[in-house]
Amino acid sequence: MATIWSLVANWLVPIPLGLFLLTSLPLPRNVRRGTLIFTQRVFDVPIMGSFKLLHVMLWLTAVAFLSSARQVHLFHEQKEGMTFTTPNAEISFLSKRWRAERNLWLSAFAFSAWAFLAAFYREAVRRLEADARLQELLERSEITATEPGRGDREASIGREVTSKAAARTPAGTASPNKSAAPSAPAEVATVGDAAGSGAGIQMQELKKEL
């Protein structure tokens, strides 16, 4: 029994605390990505079939918590109808109950540490992926804004659309529609800015997630 609780105290508690500390520190993005990959590899260590290390750790700590809770309950029931003949007997009983209560809190802390680490890890991965997508959209928008010759291409497209519209218009109705001709370049500009507006909407959504 002592070996089991030494395993809990020496391994099942320090491992989640260390991984939680690594994933929560304000480190650079590349370092945080490396720590998250390391945490994922620790979680995904195959143990038995589809059970991974995270599942086994949660199961072990849960079983330890239930076992220690049962022992504490039994000690409390024994004390109600129990009389001690000597002080040494009372000290022995109280020491056993104290160890059971200590194991109860130790197993509860170990289970909570693994559960909180799993939840924090999922959230950290989601935020890191959203940040990466936001940076990618920002880089795309900067490249699009500084792309050489984009204005000339849009102007040439606008002139081409205007010339095609003028060619389709009959000669007798050309003069009444002179005011409508400048609308073609505006439509082309609107189409040209559609991608930028879509990228802006995606960036706003990602900022809300972050």
Side-chain angles (χ1 to χ4, degrees):
M1 196 69 181
T3 305
I4 297 176
W5 292 112
S6 62
L7 176 65
V8 172
N10 296 327
W11 294 99
L12 298 186
V13 173
I15 290 177
L17 290 180
L19 293 177
F20 183 80
L21 182 63
L22 288 176
T23 54
S24 60
L25 287 176
L27 301 174
R29 186 185 307 169
N30 295 332
V31 180
R32 288 192 62 195
R33 187 182 297 275
T35 56
L36 290 176
I37 292 174
F38 175 74
T39 306
Q40 183 180 7
R41 289 181 178 178
V42 172
F43 282 171
D44 294 340
V45 172
I47 301 297
M48 184 184 299
S50 60
F51 285 95
K52 299 179 181 179
L53 181 62
L54 177 62
H55 304 145
V56 174
M57 292 301 178
L58 290 174
W59 181 78
L60 287 176
T61 52
V63 170
F65 174 75
L66 295 176
S67 176
S68 58
R70 180 176 176 275
Q71 289 182 358
V72 170
H73 180 69
L74 291 176
F75 278 120
H76 280 285
E77 286 185 348
Q78 290 177 5
K79 186 180 179 181
E80 292 179 357
M82 190 174 183
T83 57
F84 301 101
T85 57
T86 61
N88 291 332
E90 184 178 4
I91 291 174
S92 176
F93 176 81
L94 292 177
S95 62
K96 291 179 181 179
R97 192 184 70 174
W98 179 84
R99 283 194 295 270
E101 293 175 350
R102 178 205 60 186
N103 295 337
L104 174 67
W105 289 109
L106 182 63
S107 59
F109 180 75
F111 178 81
S112 302
W114 282 100
F116 289 157
L117 176 63
F120 183 80
Y121 164 75
R122 306 301 179 192
E123 180 64 20
V125 169
R126 187 192 66 82
R127 290 179 64 87
L128 190 64
E129 292 177 352
D131 189 22
R133 285 183 295 176
L134 179 60
Q135 293 295 331
E136 184 179 358
L137 288 174
L138 289 173
E139 291 176 359
R140 286 182 181 179
S141 62
E142 291 177 358
I143 292 174
T144 305
T146 59
E147 186 178 359
R150 183 183 177 186
D152 297 336
R153 288 199 300 270
E154 290 182 355
S156 62
I157 292 172
R159 287 194 298 270
E160 184 178 355
V161 172
T162 304
S163 61
K164 288 183 179 180
R168 293 177 182 176
T169 305
T173 59
S175 56
N177 294 331
K178 286 183 179 179
S179 59
S183 63
E187 293 178 357
V188 175
T190 304
V191 173
D193 295 336
S197 62
I201 293 173
Q202 292 181 1
M203 284 190 288
Q204 291 178 0
E205 293 178 354
L206 289 175
K207 287 179 180 180
K208 290 179 180 179
E209 292 181 2
L210 293 174

